[in-house]
Amino acid sequence: MTGIFACNKDVQPAIPEKGDISKINFYSSSDVLALYNMGGIGLFIDSPVSKRSAFTPFLNLSSKPQKMEYPMVYSSMRGIVYTSIRAGMHQFRFSYMVPDTTITMEGITPCRMLMDTAFSADRGVETLLWLADKPLAAENQEPAFQLLSIRLNETVKIDTNTVALYILHQAADAGRLRCSRVLPDGRLSTDQLPQKLPYGQATDVILFNIKEASNGLLGLRFYDTVTGEELVNTAIPANGGHGYVLAVQGFRNEHQFKIPVSVNEDKTVNYSTKSLTANLRSSLRQLW
C-alpha cells in the first residue's frame, strides 16, 4: 500500500481516466463518540481523490452539534452529498485527532488509530459508509468501531406512489432483529422485511406503496428475534418518490467506556470512564 493521503472537499475532484469513479458519503453514527468533547476523527484514504491532498475530512467532536458527516450538507435541502474516489479496493484509516498544543488549538495531531480496514468501491455506485460502535468484547475498555456500508441499488426506479427504504442494523448489543410493518387496518405484516437481520448488515432496497400508509406514515416494529421483545417502534414518511435509510442504532443496555477527556502539554491524553445509558432507537436519513 502506498502512503496514506487525505481527501479535500474544497476543490473539484480530479476525474480519473474513463470516469472510473465511485461516490462515497461518510457518516459517524457512534454514540460513544458523541461522549467526546474535544478533537475529532480524521479519515485517511490510500489514494488522493482530488488535485490537492493536504487536508483530511475531519469529523469535529468538540463542536455542538458535532459535525459527523463528510461531505457536509450546507443547504436546507434534504439529501445526502457524495465525494468521488477511484473505483476499486481502498484502505480506510480512521484516527482520533487531538489539539496540538505545540502550535495552536486549531492544529490537530493523530492520537489513536480507531480503525484500519479495506473497502471495495464499485464503479458508478453511490455508497454510504458509517463509522459505528462495534459490539463489546468487555466492559470498561476503550471503545471499538466498525465500518458499515450500504451500496445503493442503481437499477431501482420509483414513482410518486412509491417509497424506497433500506434498513441497517447498527445497534451493537441488540442481537438479531425481526421486523414487521403496520398495515392500514392495524395488522402486522412481515412481507419483504428482514426476520433475522444481524448487526452490521443492511437490507437491499424495499419498495412500499404510499396507499399502504396510515396518517402519512408507514409504521415499523423491530423485535428481538429470540425473545420476541419489541425493541423499537418507529415509522417512515409515506413521501412518494423519495428514498430513506432507517438505522436501528444505540445500545440496548447501559455500558461504560474509557474516553479521552483532556490533553497534556506533551501531547499525551488523559482518559476517564463514562457511562452510556441505554438508548436503543431508530434514525432516518433521506437519500433523495
Side-chain angles (χ1 to χ4, degrees), residues 32 36 140-143 256-260 271-274:
V32 177
Y36 287 41
N140 302 316
Q141 293 187 338
E142 290 188 48
Q256 292 187 326
F257 298 93
K258 286 178 61 180
I259 68 168
Y271 288 80
S272 179
T273 299
K274 288 192 176 183

Side-chain angles (χ1 to χ4, degrees), residues 78-82 126 128 130 150 152-153 164-166 205 242-246 284-288:
R78 299 191 67 187
I80 291 177
V81 180
Y82 299 87
E126 295 174 342
L128 309 182
W130 279 264
I150 291 181
L152 301 188
N153 189 332
L165 176 69
Y166 296 83
V205 63
H242 291 273
Y244 300 90
V245 174
L246 186 145
L284 194 67
R285 302 180 70 195
Q286 182 171 311
L287 296 170
W288 61 81

Side-chain angles (χ1 to χ4, degrees), residues 12 14 118 151 167 194-195 206-208 211 222 240 252:
Q12 292 297 318
R151 291 176 172 86
I167 297 174
Q195 299 303 292
I206 304 169
L207 302 180
F208 297 119
K211 294 179 181 179
F222 291 90
R252 187 173 179 178

Side-chain angles (χ1 to χ4, degrees), residues 8-15 23 49-52 83-84:
N8 180 6
K9 180 178 183 296
D10 299 326
V11 297
Q12 292 297 318
I15 305 300
K23 299 289 188 178
V49 298
S50 67
K51 296 178 181 179
R52 193 171 156 214
T83 189
S84 298

Side-chain angles (χ1 to χ4, degrees), residues 243-286:
Y244 300 90
V245 174
L246 186 145
V248 177
Q249 69 178 88
F251 288 90
R252 187 173 179 178
N253 304 294
E254 179 176 322
H255 298 284
Q256 292 187 326
F257 298 93
K258 286 178 61 180
I259 68 168
V261 293
S262 62
V263 59
N264 302 312
E265 289 295 327
D266 62 359
K267 302 181 186 180
T268 58
V269 177
N270 302 312
Y271 288 80
S272 179
T273 299
K274 288 192 176 183
S275 296
L276 184 60
T277 58
N279 62 352
L280 194 63
R281 65 199 186 278
S282 67
S283 65
L284 194 67
R285 302 180 70 195
Q286 182 171 311

Side-chain angles (χ1 to χ4, degrees), residues 27-42 58-69 95-99 108 112 114 131 143 145 259-260:
Y27 187 80
S28 173
S29 60
S30 166
D31 286 280
V32 177
L33 290 178
L35 297 175
Y36 287 41
N37 59 12
M38 67 172 191
I41 306 301
F58 184 72
L59 305 178
N60 193 341
L61 303 176
S62 60
S63 63
K64 301 296 180 184
Q66 293 173 338
K67 297 178 181 178
M68 308 297 270
E69 185 171 9
S95 293
Y96 174 57
M97 318 287 282
V98 297
I108 52 176
R112 187 172 80 87
L114 299 182
L131 181 61
F145 305 92
I259 68 168

